[in-house]
Amino acid sequence: MKFQLFSLRQGLAVCLLLLLGDTVAAQSPRTAEEQTAALGRGVNFGGILEAPDAVDRAKHLDRTLFKAVRDGGFATVRLPVRFSNHAGLTVPYALDEAFMRHVDDAVESALAEDLTIIIDFHHYRQMDGDPLDEGERRADLSDESLRERFTLIWQQIAERYRSQPVEKVLFEIYNEPHGNTDGDVWNQLVADTLAVIRKSNPERFVIVDAGNWATAWGLETLELPKDDRRLIVSVHNYAPFDFTMQGASWIENSAKWVGTPCCSKAQIAKINEPLDIAVEWSRENKRPIFLGEFGANSIAGYEDRVRYTRIMRDEAERRGFTWAYWDFSSDEFGPWDYLGKKWRVELRDALTGK
């Protein structure tokens, strides 16, 4: 009996140590500042899971795309996902399991290539009050109920990925809040969503976009829960807009900008202004900044795009910002030629510093 009792105690002690080990593994000794630095240079996987026809485009998220990111010298993938278009329209707003398996595959592929992945809730156009895309799911709900739907979708996402490593899988609450999802509404939605996420992911690093389309000017009204120190703040910078978005089909009246070159001293000043605003806000508020998007579409001259990209990267890194370029493999922006399976070398080198 003594031997059996000792073995039982030993077994319980081992189980306790294993449980404690799991708990320690689920936490991160990093600060938010250290985690932001660890994101390094990244790319967005735009035009795939956040597209209206995401189910058809999901086939592009094969492992080889993640390998290309790693081989190209990048450390992080930001994965924009239009979750709102793949969730039920009534409580409990259940996410479509078949669609979510595409997100699972992306997470697994990123981790297999030793990449960090940011799961980004992107394009809930009805909640923002924007015109809906063709094929967009519309819920017959009030603005308040739309935001409740948003938090309940996040509850499911958070539960699904709660066991993933907190330093390699990050959550981004929402991309570019604006319109009906801005100002005080955004601040409250951040608090409500964080409360949901923290129930299952108390240690997860979470990215919060500035308001006003995630611009540096939107930082002025951003309020974060003071006791949550595992937050990273994101801004986007597409200045100078008349260069980066010239001829863009999604920007009204952008055709008149076609032919705009880059980069004059005045244009470089426009690039720097929001970066300087973000630096100052970061110092005053003691929150790290991640440059979540920048890029110039392919209607602009290629040599000018390369020049712009190198300047933006240099200016961001000179201020200590890590970043994710928009985007990786689309014809409009990408340094990776998806069909040709090869690099647009000059654009890649502008991003990686070669």
Side-chain angles (χ1 to χ4, degrees):
M1 282 296 294
K2 287 182 179 179
F3 178 78
Q4 290 176 340
L5 181 61
F6 177 74
S7 297
L8 178 61
R9 286 174 178 169
Q10 240 186 352
L12 288 171
V14 170
C15 289
L16 180 60
L17 285 171
L18 289 172
L19 286 171
L20 287 172
D22 287 345
T23 302
V24 171
Q27 296 176 346
S28 169
R30 288 178 179 170
T31 64
E33 289 76 13
E34 290 167 338
Q35 178 63 51
T36 308
L39 294 175
R41 295 165 172 167
V43 292
N44 281 269
F45 275 5
I48 306 178
L49 295 188
E50 104 283 7
D53 55 345
V55 173
D56 294 331
R57 297 188 180 208
K59 63 180 179 290
H60 298 299
L61 277 177
D62 60 72
R63 174 78 177 272
T64 61
L65 198 62
F66 293 86
K67 185 177 186 301
V69 171
R70 167 54 65 187
D71 291 347
F74 301 96
T76 295
V77 166
R78 181 173 180 255
L79 183 71
V81 186
R82 196 180 301 218
F83 291 106
S84 56
N85 214 33
H86 305 277
L89 301 180
T90 57
V91 176
Y93 310 117
L95 285 162
D96 178 69
E97 181 61 25
F99 177 77
M100 289 304 297
R101 283 198 288 271
H102 295 304
V103 183
D104 296 345
D105 290 344
V107 171
E108 290 172 10
S109 293
L111 295 180
E113 294 296 334
D114 194 27
L115 295 165
T116 299
I117 187 166
I118 300 167
I119 300 174
D120 160 48
F121 199 133
H122 212 90
H123 286 331
Y124 193 172
R125 297 180 68 85
Q126 187 181 357
M127 186 174 71
D128 293 326
D130 293 340
L132 270 61
D133 289 326
E134 185 177 351
E136 190 84 20
R137 301 199 75 186
R138 181 178 182 87
D140 187 18
L141 299 169
S142 66
D143 288 345
E144 183 178 356
S145 295
L146 288 170
R147 293 191 287 272
E148 179 186 43
R149 180 175 185 253
F150 177 86
T151 58
L152 290 176
I153 291 172
W154 255 119
Q155 183 178 53
Q156 298 171 70
I157 300 167
E159 287 282 354
R160 192 178 190 97
Y161 300 110
R162 64 186 302 172
S163 63
Q164 296 293 350
V166 298
E167 294 180 352
K168 300 297 284 186
V169 179
L170 280 68
F171 296 160
E172 183 170 345
I173 290 179
Y174 190 54
N175 176 74
E176 297 185 350
H178 63 277
N180 294 346
T181 314
D182 208 349
D184 291 339
V185 171
W186 176 232
N187 291 331
Q188 186 60 55
L189 188 57
V190 167
D192 293 344
T193 307
L194 277 172
V196 167
I197 290 172
R198 290 301 180 217
K199 288 179 181 178
S200 56
N201 291 259
E203 298 293 321
R204 182 78 51 194
F205 289 104
V206 177
I207 296 176
V208 180
D209 284 25
N212 190 19
W213 295 89
T215 62
W217 292 272
L219 292 168
E220 183 179 1
T221 58
L222 182 63
E223 296 178 2
L224 300 174
K226 288 183 171 54
D227 59 346
D228 195 330
R229 306 309 302 177
R230 303 185 74 75
L231 303 179
I232 298 166
V233 175
S234 180
V235 296
H236 299 171
N237 186 6
Y238 285 101
F241 210 64
D242 56 353
F243 168 72
T244 63
M245 295 296 161
Q246 58 184 283
S249 59
W250 57 94
I251 304 292
E252 190 175 357
N253 298 321
S254 63
K256 65 184 179 182
W257 300 332
V258 172
T260 301
C262 197
C263 299
S264 68
K265 288 183 178 179
Q267 288 173 316
I268 294 173
K270 288 183 177 180
I271 287 172
N272 286 334
E273 183 182 4
L275 298 178
D276 287 338
I277 291 171
V279 165
E280 186 61 28
W281 184 90
S282 177
R283 288 172 181 163
E284 290 179 358
N285 292 271
K286 296 180 173 56
R287 298 283 191 178
I289 295 286
F290 177 65
L291 181 60
E293 291 186 21
F294 69 93
N297 87 81
S298 60
I299 294 177
Y302 184 69
E303 290 184 1
D304 284 338
R305 290 176 63 211
V306 170
R307 188 177 303 112
Y308 153 85
T309 301
R310 189 176 295 275
I311 290 170
M312 180 69 82
R313 185 215 70 205
D314 284 346
E315 294 296 344
E317 293 185 351
R318 187 163 66 84
R319 291 164 175 80
F321 295 158
T322 50
W323 47 263
Y325 176 80
W326 187 277
D327 58 8
F328 183 59
S329 61
S330 71
D331 289 339
E332 290 89 354
F333 290 88
W336 176 253
D337 178 354
Y338 180 79
L339 293 178
K341 306 299 181 188
K342 60 184 179 180
W343 292 101
R344 298 178 177 105
V345 176
E346 300 83 2
L347 196 53
R348 179 203 61 190
D349 290 352
L351 288 164
T352 58
K354 294 183 180 178

